[in-house]
Amino acid sequence: MANRAHALHPGAWWIWALGLGTAASRTTNPLLLALLMAVAGFVVATHRTDAPWARSYTAFVKLAAAVLVIRLAFAVFLGSPIPGTHVIVTLPEIPLPHWAQGVRVGGRVTAEGLLFALYDGLKLAALLVCVGAANALANPARLLKSLPGALYEAGVAVVVALTFAPHLIADVQRLRAARRLRGRPDRGLRGLLHVGLPVLEGALERSVALAAAMDARGYGRTAQVPAAVRRTTGALTLGGLLGVCAGTYGLLTAAGDSYGLPVLLAGLGAALGGLWLGGRRTPRTRYRPDLWGVRAWLVAGSGVAVAALMIVAASSDPAALRPGVIPLVAPTLPLRPAAAVLLGLLPAFAAPAARRTPAPEESS
């Protein structure tokens, strides 16, 4: 793990990953999406530590692959809204009642429909890979420490949820390895029962210990503030979050370019005001707060630059970022968007290198 004095701020990793995810949401070009996933994977491979949360990246990749397979399976068995003339196979079609009109099970499977499903599934898979990269690189405990006071309680819930899965996976791997060393089966229904029960028991014990630790540290205690401040805080926070959602939706859709940015900025301003007022209810101190240095600016800026350049490219040359499937044409790699995606590699050189725990044979 990187030294704390030189460690990167966890918020920078999330901004970088969300920038890549925003870029992925603007295109269905499989070459650009594959390049985005390769960029995220390369940065994770070079800066992932041995921490438990870093192991969750593989799970996110498997989840992305499963989403892609499910999307293709739906296109094969339930049909596709895209008409096509290149029939690959014709499955037996199951007759459905009249009230299910519009739904089809089986029938023709065309190359155009499969290609459309592949492009659509790849976009969602790329988003999952980007989120997995942020989850693997950013320390959730340090990210929680950097949150504003108003978000602390919600942040604790999110951090506990995000760290639960990596610990669960580590417990399963440890127990399966122990059973293999003893010559006992670790697969199948019998192995699942013998591994699953100790894992659930350990998760319950960890939850009880965590609740006791949170109670001992004063979690949930709030300070008294005037009623007018509470009402103003609620109005600003709720209105700001709605503005952020509406502005983000406008930026992510092609029809909302005109109003997306102003609404997003207004919502951010209101939300920040609400968070500042809300922080008065949870007075607390920070021990050795993380600094936002030059490297954090470079990492976060690279993600923002990738997102901004892809938004511009989607407006100026939409055909290159969204290749058609009718007629069937091979997708091409647009050079300028591809160069913009490669800006996402900047953290691989600007962020401090991660220090891995040496293996026993290496340390001896």
Side-chain angles (χ1 to χ4, degrees):
M1 188 179 300
N3 186 279
R4 202 200 73 86
H6 301 89
L8 195 71
H9 196 288
W13 284 123
W14 272 102
I15 294 176
W16 167 78
L18 291 178
L20 294 188
T22 302
S25 69
R26 305 298 294 189
T27 179
T28 55
N29 189 316
L31 300 179
L32 286 176
L33 291 173
L35 188 60
L36 273 168
M37 289 189 281
V39 167
F42 180 78
V43 176
V44 170
T46 55
H47 286 75
R48 185 169 58 173
T49 65
D50 296 327
W53 59 82
R55 301 170 191 166
S56 62
Y57 181 70
T58 307
F60 274 94
V61 173
K62 292 179 180 177
L63 178 62
V67 166
L68 184 59
V69 171
I70 291 173
R71 182 69 180 87
L72 289 174
F74 271 51
V76 169
F77 295 106
L78 300 181
S80 173
I82 302 298
T85 56
H86 297 77
V87 180
I88 298 176
V89 64
T90 301
L91 300 176
E93 188 168 353
I94 300 176
L96 297 176
H98 178 71
W99 54 265
Q101 189 175 8
V103 179
R104 178 171 64 87
V105 178
R108 297 191 316 158
V109 179
T110 63
E112 290 87 345
L114 276 183
L115 203 59
F116 177 79
L118 176 66
Y119 292 173
D120 201 38
L122 270 177
K123 184 168 70 172
L124 186 54
L127 287 171
L128 288 172
V129 168
C130 293
V131 173
N135 200 40
L137 294 172
N139 186 333
R142 288 177 49 209
L143 182 64
L144 173 64
K145 193 170 64 172
S146 304
L147 286 177
L151 295 178
Y152 185 74
E153 294 182 4
V156 169
V158 173
V159 168
V160 170
L162 289 178
T163 53
F164 179 77
H167 284 295
L168 203 64
I169 294 172
D171 286 347
V172 171
Q173 292 175 343
R174 177 171 51 81
L175 289 171
R176 289 183 61 189
R179 290 186 63 83
R180 283 197 298 270
L181 289 175
R182 294 171 184 170
R184 296 175 181 174
D186 62 321
R187 295 179 181 277
L189 181 59
R190 186 179 177 185
L192 179 65
L193 290 176
H194 285 85
V195 171
L197 291 179
V199 168
L200 292 178
E201 183 181 357
L204 182 60
E205 291 178 353
R206 192 180 299 119
S207 302
V208 173
L210 176 63
M214 293 169 69
D215 183 66
R217 288 167 173 79
Y219 175 77
R221 298 174 188 171
T222 58
Q224 293 295 329
V225 295
V229 174
R230 291 202 302 271
R231 287 193 291 269
T232 306
T233 301
L236 285 176
T237 305
L238 183 60
L241 291 178
L242 289 176
V244 169
C245 294
T248 305
Y249 177 78
L251 288 178
L252 294 179
T253 56
D257 290 342
S258 59
Y259 69 86
L261 186 59
V263 173
L264 177 62
L265 294 178
L268 279 176
L272 290 176
L275 292 178
W276 178 74
L277 286 177
R280 298 173 63 180
R281 292 192 63 197
T282 55
R284 62 192 181 93
T285 59
R286 289 189 179 90
Y287 176 66
R288 300 171 68 185
D290 289 310
L291 302 178
W292 188 280
V294 176
R295 289 177 170 178
W297 281 112
L298 290 175
V299 172
S302 67
V304 173
V306 172
L309 291 174
M310 286 292 284
I311 291 174
V312 173
S315 301
S316 60
D317 190 9
L321 269 64
R322 296 183 180 276
V325 295
I326 301 176
L328 284 176
V329 291
T332 58
L333 183 65
L335 294 181
R336 289 184 179 178
V341 171
L342 292 179
L343 287 176
L345 286 174
L346 183 60
F349 309 100
R355 294 179 181 176
R356 295 176 181 274
T357 303
E361 59 271 14
E362 295 175 355
S363 58
S364 61

